[in-house]
């Protein structure tokens, strides 16, 4: 059974997290406009990983899910999502754990790694090399969406993202300043990540550049393609199965 908890970040923002299972901890961080429920719980990925004998910890990022959604730009300094995740790790007293994320969650994981986080195993999903090297490109894409709601042609990537935002109940006034918190990571920093990393993304997902190129740059990276694109891969069982298969053997 999934349980929900909350704690207060160092700057006073209330943050929620959800967990299921018992055993070795793994923290999974969701993507932009999404939530722990949408990325990890709803489609069974967390349950599959918990069945391995792991305690699956899934925060709702600030401005998302059941966490607070401040509108003040001061609540979104550079790397604030990494700050929050590191604060949750400290709050829970985790020292021996695994770490993974989807899309913005994967970018947050990489920021944590280059800042000194030391999980044993890492999963980066829905993320390519370009999405880490140049965060401004994706930030500009989503800034255009959030400032142009209701203006996009049906079927375009912008229209699809807006539809997802509406489905997830996102708050544009909180999400817009969050985009300014993104921080680029260099090739040198990525190449220095010295731990096993699974890079798993939809075979048709190029939203953040090449996932295969990201895996190639990592010293201990392994790339797995699953069906789908950036929006659809996360709803398919193959994503969770690929994560479980890798966690079961590494």
């Amino acid at each position: 059974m999934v349980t929900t908890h909350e704690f207060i970040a160092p700057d006073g923002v209330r943050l929620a997290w959800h967990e299921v299972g018992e055993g070795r901890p793994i923290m999974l961080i969701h993507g932009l406009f999404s939530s722990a429920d949408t990325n990890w719980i709803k489609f069974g990925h967390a349950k599959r990983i918990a069945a391995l004998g792991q305690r699956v910890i899934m925060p709702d990022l600030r401005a998302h899910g059941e966490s607070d959604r401040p509108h003040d730009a001061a609540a979104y300094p550079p790397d604030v999502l990494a700050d929050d995740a590191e604060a949750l790790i400290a709050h829970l007293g985790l020292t021996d754990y695994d770490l993974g994320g989807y899309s913005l969650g994967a970018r947050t994981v990489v920021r944590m790694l280059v800042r000194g986080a030391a999980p044993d195993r890492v999963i980066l999903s829905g993320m390519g090399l370009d999405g880490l090297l140049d965060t401004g490109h994706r930030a500009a894409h989503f800034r255009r969406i959030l400032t142009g709601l209701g203006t996009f042609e049906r079927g375009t990537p912008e229209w699809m993202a807006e539809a997802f935002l509406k489905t997830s109940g996102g708050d544009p006034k909180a999400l817009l300043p969050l985009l300014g918190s993104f921080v680029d990571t260099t090739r040198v920093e990525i190449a220095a990540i010295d731990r096993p990393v699974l890079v798993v993304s939809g075979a048709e997902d190029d939203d953040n550049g090449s996932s295969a190129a990201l895996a190639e740059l990592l010293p201990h990276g392994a790339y797995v393609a699953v069906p789908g694109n950036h929006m659809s891969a996360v709803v398919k069982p193959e994503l969770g199965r690929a994560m479980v298969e890798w966690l079961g053997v590494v």
Side-chain angles (χ1 to χ4, degrees):
M1 182 179 70
V2 177
T3 58
T4 299
H5 315 266
E6 60 182 49
F7 79 114
I8 304 301
D11 66 349
V13 173
R14 182 191 58 83
L15 300 174
W17 87 91
H18 315 270
E19 63 175 82
V20 63
E22 297 179 355
R24 177 180 179 77
I26 179 169
M27 179 180 288
L28 298 177
I29 306 175
H30 67 78
L32 187 68
F33 293 6
S34 193
S35 66
D37 181 67
T38 298
N39 272 180
W40 307 121
I41 299 169
K42 184 176 181 180
F43 299 102
H45 309 316
K47 184 177 179 181
R48 290 186 179 93
I49 295 171
L52 282 176
Q54 295 211 231
R55 175 190 178 192
V56 187
I57 300 162
M58 301 160 284
D60 280 334
L61 299 174
R62 65 173 60 200
H64 295 78
E66 298 182 35
S67 291
D68 280 350
R69 304 176 176 197
H71 292 175
D72 186 351
Y76 303 97
D79 264 349
V80 68
L81 299 182
D83 291 340
D84 288 345
E86 290 164 2
L88 179 55
I89 288 170
H91 175 76
L92 296 173
L94 305 183
T95 56
D96 184 15
Y97 64 97
D98 302 319
L99 184 61
Y102 192 89
S103 193
L104 175 58
R107 185 182 295 128
T108 302
V109 167
V110 170
R111 295 305 306 159
M112 295 168 68
L113 293 169
V114 302
R115 288 158 48 116
D120 284 354
R121 301 175 294 183
V122 176
I123 297 174
L124 303 178
S125 188
M127 181 51 59
L129 182 58
D130 291 347
L132 299 174
L133 300 176
D134 179 15
T135 61
H137 177 73
R138 289 297 278 172
H141 170 71
F142 288 110
R143 189 172 288 110
R144 186 168 62 252
I145 291 168
L146 291 169
T147 56
L149 297 173
T151 68
F152 303 110
E153 183 179 351
R154 186 179 184 88
T156 61
E158 291 84 359
W159 183 89
M160 295 291 289
E162 181 178 349
F164 180 62
L165 175 67
K166 291 177 180 177
T167 300
S168 65
D171 181 349
K173 291 183 178 180
L175 293 165
L176 191 58
L178 174 67
L179 300 177
S181 73
F182 297 174
V183 176
D184 293 348
T185 304
T186 68
R187 287 179 178 271
V188 171
E189 289 172 321
I190 296 168
I193 296 173
D194 189 20
R195 59 199 67 248
V197 182
L198 171 66
V199 181
V200 54
S201 298
E204 301 167 33
D205 181 2
D206 61 359
D207 282 21
N208 287 292
S210 171
S211 294
L214 173 57
E216 186 175 350
L217 182 58
L218 291 160
H220 306 289
Y223 171 59
V224 173
V226 295
N229 57 31
H230 194 71
M231 295 290 287
S232 64
V234 76
V235 312
K236 298 179 182 295
E238 287 88 349
L239 177 66
R241 289 171 186 161
M243 295 168 69
V244 164
E245 182 175 345
W246 185 77
L247 289 167
V249 299
V250 174

